[in-house]
Amino acid sequence: MKKFISLALVSAMAASLVACGGSSTASTTAAATTAAAETEAAAAETEAAAEEKSEDEALGVSTAKIRFKAGTTNAITSAYNQGLIAFRNHLEEMSNGEMTIDLYLSSSLGNESDMLDAVSMGTQDMLVTSTGPIPAFSNATANWGVLDLPYLFPTYETAYEVLDGEVGQYLLSEFDGTGVKALGFWENGYRCTTNSKKEIVHPDDLKGMKIRTMENKVHMATYAALGATPTAMAMGEVFSALQQGTIDGQENPFSIIYYGNKLHEVQPYMTENNIFYSPAVLCISQDVFDGLTEDQQKILLEAAELGKHEEREIERGMAVSGRKAMEEYGIIISDVDQAEWIEATKSVYDDASLGIDPELLAKIKAVTDK
């Protein structure tokens, strides 16, 4: 985009010089060449500064004795990484600079499934992951699929009440014995549908469209119920697949679409249907956690709790600002009659092949239906 703007500025300057009387062709050409060089140099300098800033933000304080290696699938600007930076700030302050976190961005350590496996084996210290890969991670975490049901959480507040309460603590404890310690529920946000073909307002509008989903059985079953063709794909592959037309669309929160992966650049249509409230989970290697002193563990847990609340605030803010920015960019955003979409996805709750625990679902519904 910067190069495109640079070329446009060069063209405009050259045209202006040609229009002015009294300038020779040679001097006009020389001026245009000089302007081009200066503009390209300025663009390169700006881009280099932005990359340097991102690298600076990704690394913790250089003097820390204990450095945690944390991975995500998104850019530094995403809610995940901004939340990790908030977590890191608390961790550094509370440990007097002894502990810090280095961020590994944009799937540089692999997709979420890869990183979850790496954390369980102790070859990676931390990650923030969506719930997508968790049901398939271990037999112990198969119950996590219940959190991915469509329209399960009508509000942020009901989601927090469940996730920070008895049900959430039970689900976090299911990681015990897997090599992963789940530290708390962060936030991915309400997931919306984007595409490159047309406005989508009614569920039937999705019929026949090839939509990328997470590698998640419940999400795939939901889009199949809506008449789409769900295609599981790692986040790192999505932008190019959309750009090349391999898939027609995808689904994610505003914070991932706009801030995390710039998917709006290749998706002119978006539907704010909020099919899923998507939690995220902060995880640490159990071996790494066990290797800390009791005081260090306490500091880590307290800092992670503070980071959780800040990350949620960041994500909610991005949901609002992301929509506004996308509208200004020119994306056509459609609102829907949510009751129509709820009705169209009810069959997913009766799909026995998804292995949803009815007792766990009943405990969640006892909160969300109040």
Side-chain angles (χ1 to χ4, degrees), residues 241-264:
L242 293 169
Q243 192 173 44
Q244 295 164 13
T246 306
I247 50 178
D248 299 316
Q250 62 84 51
E251 52 83 47
N252 258 305
F254 279 101
S255 58
I256 299 292
I257 294 167
Y258 184 77
Y259 294 101
N261 290 278
K262 300 185 184 299
L263 301 181
H264 63 285

Side-chain angles (χ1 to χ4, degrees), residues 159-231:
Y160 300 157
E161 187 174 351
V162 170
L163 299 176
D164 294 340
E166 178 189 348
V167 170
Q169 295 310 302
Y170 167 75
L171 288 169
L172 293 175
S173 72
E174 290 194 326
F175 275 98
D176 295 349
T178 67
V180 173
K181 182 175 180 63
L183 297 178
F185 283 99
W186 286 28
E187 189 159 275
N188 202 359
Y190 281 100
R191 305 179 76 90
C192 306
T193 310
T194 69
N195 82 97
S196 60
K197 300 293 185 182
K198 62 180 181 180
E199 278 194 81
I200 294 172
V201 177
H202 307 288
D204 285 350
D205 296 335
L206 270 173
K207 284 187 176 177
M209 297 190 75
K210 196 170 185 180
I211 303 295
R212 178 268 174 181
T213 71
M214 293 193 291
E215 298 175 53
N216 181 291
K217 292 193 301 181
V218 178
H219 284 200
M220 295 182 75
T222 300
Y223 272 88
L226 292 168
T229 302
T231 304

Side-chain angles (χ1 to χ4, degrees), residues 136 148 370:
D148 296 310
K370 285 191 295 187

Side-chain angles (χ1 to χ4, degrees), residues 64-110:
K65 295 178 182 178
I66 299 174
R67 313 188 72 87
F68 300 109
K69 181 179 181 181
T72 74
T73 58
N74 302 315
I76 192 72
T77 48
S78 71
Y80 284 4
N81 287 310
Q82 290 303 303
L84 281 170
I85 289 170
F87 171 24
R88 179 177 69 199
N89 290 341
H90 292 298
L91 186 64
E92 290 177 351
E93 181 180 358
M94 295 167 70
S95 69
N96 294 318
E98 181 185 33
M99 293 188 283
T100 193
I101 303 168
D102 294 327
L103 310 186
Y104 290 77
L105 315 169
S106 303
S107 304
S108 60
L109 298 180

